[in-house]
Amino acid sequence: YMCEILDEKFNLPVTVVISTTERNFDQIKYVYQSMMDAFEYKRIIGGEGIVWIDEVQQYDENRQLHICHELLIQAFEKANIKEVKRISEELFSSMGNMSFIVMKLRVLEIFLLINDSYSNFIIDSVKRMQLLSWLEILIRTETIEDLKRKYEEMLEFACTRIGSQWESENKKIVKAVKKNIEEKYMDCNLSIATIAEDMERNSQYISKVFRAETGDGITDYISRMRVYKAQEILLSKKISIEEVGSIVGF
């Protein structure tokens, strides 16, 4: 009632946080901290009015959902939309007893995690901003059904772009690895580490991408390249196996 009067008569929007009753004076500082947290959450979701500390505490009591968050991000970074949707369904099921305000906070938290991962992978700044625009769309939702629908649409949007980025990026990496091996197979010190250093990439990363795209390990590919080159030499020259091995990097 006080909020309505201040808004109508003085055009003064007010946010009120209502805490639980605390009879122990020593605990007041903790109540105060909870109230400040509640104000912060209210700022995130926008609007004015009343927020109950119980709602914020409900948010804090569901930390086990962070495990699902991690699994979701892992699936998202692989652009595995099927797995992303499955985990999302589990998340919404586990949030079934939450109030709408807490559920929205949870979804916004997931969005920020996804946006961080998305920004790490997407090079195009315009595409980065396109995902960020979904933040306002999620904040403006007014029902659980609308929140869930917009959240799923956002995931589909982001996964599609991550997928196309992966496809393009992975092909470039495989091409660069093969080119490096073609040029340096004669060097007996050639390895995943030296290739990664030349490409200025993480060795585990390029190894994982190469195997995923070709079905081969980089070391196996190097060995096959050397054998193939050795066969060519042996068919064209009279030369010992030892000499051929030395020439092709064995």
Side-chain angles (χ1 to χ4, degrees):
Y1 182 63
M2 182 182 72
C3 288
E4 289 175 3
I5 291 176
L6 290 170
D7 195 14
E8 289 175 9
K9 292 192 174 183
F10 303 101
N11 194 26
L12 182 65
V14 176
T15 295
V16 177
V17 174
I18 300 178
S19 75
T20 51
T21 302
E22 182 53 64
R23 300 188 182 281
N24 184 343
F25 188 80
D26 292 336
Q27 299 298 313
I28 292 296
K29 58 184 177 183
Y30 300 114
V31 174
Y32 174 77
Q33 185 58 53
S34 296
M35 291 173 70
M36 296 310 294
D37 288 343
F39 274 119
E40 187 64 30
Y41 294 144
K42 190 66 175 173
R43 287 179 60 192
I44 292 171
I45 64 170
E48 294 79 35
I50 295 172
V51 57
W52 294 81
I53 277 188
D54 283 350
E55 291 183 333
V56 178
Q57 288 174 339
Q58 186 184 38
Y59 171 81
D60 289 330
E61 287 166 2
N62 285 276
R63 294 299 180 185
Q64 66 269 23
L65 290 177
H66 283 302
I67 297 173
C68 281
H69 290 184
E70 291 175 9
L71 294 174
L72 179 68
I73 294 302
Q74 289 172 15
F76 172 72
E77 289 179 351
K78 295 176 184 176
N80 187 342
I81 187 63
K82 186 176 179 181
E83 184 67 6
V84 166
K85 287 183 176 180
R86 185 191 68 77
I87 296 171
S88 294
E89 283 296 327
E90 288 185 7
L91 279 168
F92 269 91
S93 294
S94 62
M95 292 190 287
N97 61 341
M98 291 182 178
S99 63
F100 176 62
I101 183 174
V102 177
M103 189 178 290
K104 184 185 281 190
L105 287 168
R106 180 63 65 185
V107 168
L108 292 177
E109 180 181 313
I110 295 170
F111 172 82
L112 293 174
L113 292 171
I114 286 173
N115 187 61
D116 285 344
S117 294
Y118 183 85
S119 298
N120 288 334
F121 286 101
I122 297 298
I123 299 169
D124 191 328
S125 59
V126 174
K127 289 182 179 178
R128 288 183 183 180
M129 292 305 296
Q130 285 174 342
L131 179 63
L132 201 56
S133 66
W134 280 88
L135 180 59
E136 186 176 356
I137 294 172
L138 291 170
I139 288 174
R140 286 184 175 181
T141 56
E142 296 181 352
T143 66
I144 291 175
E145 292 74 21
D146 192 31
L147 176 65
K148 185 177 180 182
R149 184 173 64 256
K150 295 300 182 186
Y151 167 76
E152 289 175 349
E153 288 174 5
M154 178 274 295
L155 285 177
E156 186 104 28
F157 171 89
C159 275
T160 300
R161 277 150 185 77
I162 283 280
S164 62
Q165 179 80 22
W166 266 123
E167 185 178 351
S168 173
E169 185 69 13
N170 287 358
K171 286 179 179 177
K172 288 180 183 177
I173 289 171
V174 170
K175 186 177 180 180
V177 170
K178 287 183 175 180
K179 184 173 184 292
N180 190 286
I181 294 171
E182 178 72 33
E183 293 173 351
K184 298 184 177 181
Y185 70 89
M186 305 84 71
D187 182 359
C188 63
N189 294 314
L190 181 66
S191 66
I192 297 173
T194 60
I195 295 170
E197 187 176 351
D198 288 344
M199 293 173 60
E200 297 183 345
R201 293 274 192 169
N202 178 277
S203 57
Q204 290 182 336
Y205 175 69
I206 65 167
S207 179
K208 183 178 179 181
V209 169
F210 193 87
R211 184 175 290 279
E213 289 292 312
T214 67
D216 271 334
I218 292 177
T219 303
D220 292 336
Y221 188 84
I222 293 171
S223 295
R224 279 209 311 279
M225 173 68 73
R226 285 172 171 162
V227 169
Y228 175 73
K229 295 295 183 181
Q231 286 174 334
E232 286 185 333
I233 294 170
L234 287 169
L235 287 170
S236 62
K237 295 181 181 179
K238 288 185 177 181
I239 191 171
S240 70
I241 296 293
E242 185 179 349
E243 287 176 299
V244 171
S246 178
I247 291 171
V248 298
F250 278 118

